[in-house]
C-alpha cells in the first residue's frame, strides 16, 4: 500500500542584480573590489607621465600641470585612500591563506614592509638619496 | 522561568501543492532567555500551526539540519536565540537553494558538490585482499600532522556557507565553501594519497578559482572553520599543482 505523493515542485528564488546591496558584508566586499576603479585612473596618469617624459620637455611640463589640477589631485588622493583600504583587507586575509606566523605578526610585518618601500621610493624620487 | 513575553516571528511559507510563490505568515511566540529559534518553530508547529515544515534533529549544533535564514543571515535555528533580537524575526529557507516547502530547502546540489571532491581517505597501495598474508596496518599520525587539517575537519554540513556565498548563488555549479574545505581537509591529511584525484575538481572552473574571497562564509560558519581560508589555501595548492604540471613530461 503506497501512498501517492504529489510531485515535487521546489521553488527557486531568483537572485537579482542587486544581491550585493542586501548585506553590509557584501557591500564592503564590493567596495573592496571597487578600489580598482580609481587605481585605473592613477595607472593612466602614470603611463601618460612616462609617455610625456619621452616626448620632451613641453609635454612633460604639460603633464606636470595636468597632475597639479585640483580634481586630479582629489582623484589621486581617493586612489591612495582606496589602495590603503584594499591593502588593509589584503593584509588581513593573507595570514589566513598562508598561515606562516601568528596573524597579528604577519599583518604588522606587511604594514612595515609597505612603509619601508614607500619611504625608500619617496627618498629616491625626491632626490634625497 | 515563566514565559510571558512574546515575540513575532514572520515565516516564509510555501506549499508546493497549491502555492505559485512563497508568502509570509506571522506568529506570536512566548519566549524567555533560553528559547532558540528552533524551540520557537517547534512551539508554532505543536501549538499554533501543525502544517509548518522545517528540519531539525539534534538540537545541539551537531547535525546541521536546522539551517534557516534569520533576518537575512544564515543561522542554525538551534544555536540562535530569540533574546538576541530586539524586533521581529524574519525566518526564510536557506538562500541560494531551492525551497522544497516552507523552511525546508532542497540540498541535493550541496550533497553532489560534497561527493564530487571525494571526501574520504584514498590510499594508492594494494589492498589487503591481494596480499592475504599481510594484515591491514593502522596508519599512524603525529599530533603535528593532525593539527594540519584538524580545524577543517569539524564541518557539520549545515550549508550555511552556501547560503552566504554569492558565487554559489550566481553559479550553482561552483563547488562552494564546504566542499572545497573538505577537499583541503583530505589533501592535508598525512594518511591520504588521493590529492591527484581531487586536484582536477579543484583546478576546474567550478573549483577554487570560482571563489573571490567575499569571506562571508567564514563569518556564518557555526563551527568557526574558516572555509574562506581553506578555499584560498586550495588556490595556493592549485597554482602549485599547475606549476609542477608544467615541468612534468
Ligand atoms: S538541530 Fe542539529 S544542528 Fe540544529
Amino acid at each position: 500500500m503506497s501512498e501517492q505523493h504529489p510531485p515535487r515542485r521546489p521553488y527557486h528564488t531568483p537572485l537579482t542584480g542587486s544581491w550585493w546591496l542586501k548585506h553590509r558584508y557584501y557591500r564592503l566586499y564590493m567596495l573592496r573590489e571597487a578600489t580598482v576603479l580609481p587605481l585605473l585612473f592613477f595607472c593612466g596618469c602614470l603611463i601618460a607621465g612616462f609617455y610625456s617624459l619621452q616626448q620632451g620637455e613641453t609635454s612633460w611640463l604639460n603633464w606636470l600641470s595636468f597632475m597639479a589640477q585640483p580634481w586630479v589631485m582629489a582623484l589621486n588622493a581617493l586612489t591612495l585612500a582606496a589602495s590603503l583600504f584594499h591593502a588593509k583587507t589584503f593584509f588581513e586575509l593573507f595570514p589566513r591563506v598562508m598561515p606562516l606566523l601568528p596573524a597579528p605578526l604577519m599583518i604588522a610585518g606587511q604594514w612595515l614592509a609597505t612603509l619601508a618601500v614607500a619611504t625608500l621610493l619617496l627618498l629616491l624620487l625626491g632626490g634625497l638619496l | 522561568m515563566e514565559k510571558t513575553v512574546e515575540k513575532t516571528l514572520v515565516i516564509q511559507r510555501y506549499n508546493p501543492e497549491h502555492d505559485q510563490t512563497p508568502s509570509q505568515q506571522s506568529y506570536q511566540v512566548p519566549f524567555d532567555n533560553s528559547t532558540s529559534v528552533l524551540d520557537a518553530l517547534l512551539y508554532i508547529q505543536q501549538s499554533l500551526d501543525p502544517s509548518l515544515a522545517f528540519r531539525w534533529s539534534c538540537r545541539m549544533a551537531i547535525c546541521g539540519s536546522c539551517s534557516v535564514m534569520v533576518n537575512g543571515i544564515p543561522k542554525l535555528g538551534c544555536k540562535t536565540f530569540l533574546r538576541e533580537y530586539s524586533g521581529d524575526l524574519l525566518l526564510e529557507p536557506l538562500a541560494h537553494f531551492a525551497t522544497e516547502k516552507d523552511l525546508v530547502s532542497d540540498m541535493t546540489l550541496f550533497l553532489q558538490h560534497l561527493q564530487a571532491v571525494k571526501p574520504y581517505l584514498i590510499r594508492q597501495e594494494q589492498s589487503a585482499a591481494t596480499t592475504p598474508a599481510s594484515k591491514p596496518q593502522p596508519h599512524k599520525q603525529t599530533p603535528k600532522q593532525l593539527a594540519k587539517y584538524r580545524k577543517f575537519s569539524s564541518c557539520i554540513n549545515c550549508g550555511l556557507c552556501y547560503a552566504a556565498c554569492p558565487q554559489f548563488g550566481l553559479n550553482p555549479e561552483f563547488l562552494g565553501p564546504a566542499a572545497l574545505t573538505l577537499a583541503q581537509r583530505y589533501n592535508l591529511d598525512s594518511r591520504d594519497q588521493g590529492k591527484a584525484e581531487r586536484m582536477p575538481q579543484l583546478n576546474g572552473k567550478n573549483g577554487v578559482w570560482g571563489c573571490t574571497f567575499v569571506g562571508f562564509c567564514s563569518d556564518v560558519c557555526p563551527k568557526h572553520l574558516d572555509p574562506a581560508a581553506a578555499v584560498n589555501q586550495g588556490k595556493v595548492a592549485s597554482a602549485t599543482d599547475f606549476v609542477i604540471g608544467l615541468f612534468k613530461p
Side-chain angles (χ1 to χ4, degrees), chain B residues 38 55-67 76-79 156 158:
Chain B
L38 178 60
R55 285 200 185 105
W56 65 284
S57 177
C58 71
R59 291 186 296 166
M60 48 194 288
I62 285 296
C63 73
S65 50
C66 62
S67 308
L76 286 184
C78 65
K79 210 183 171 219
I156 59 170
C158 62

Side-chain angles (χ1 to χ4, degrees), chain A residues 6-13 15-17 19-20 22-26 29 32-33 92-99, chain B residues 14 16-17 19-20 22 72-73 98-100 106 164 166 169-170 212-216 218-219 226 228-229 232-233 236:
Chain A
R8 287 178 52 207
R9 207 159 56 80
Y11 179 78
H12 294 263
T13 313
L15 196 68
T16 58
W19 61 266
W20 57 277
K22 275 199 249 160
H23 284 304
R24 201 188 69 92
Y25 215 99
Y26 293 159
Y29 158 72
R32 183 188 86 196
E33 300 298 293
E92 282 164 9
L93 295 180
F94 186 63
R96 284 163 61 190
V97 182
M98 290 223 161
Chain B
Y14 171 69
E17 283 177 46
D19 295 342
Q20 287 312 312
I73 310 279
T99 304
E100 206 69 67
D106 176 9
L170 294 165
T212 53
F213 219 142
V214 178
F216 196 30
S218 296
D219 222 52
D226 203 352
N232 285 277
Q233 288 177 22
V236 178

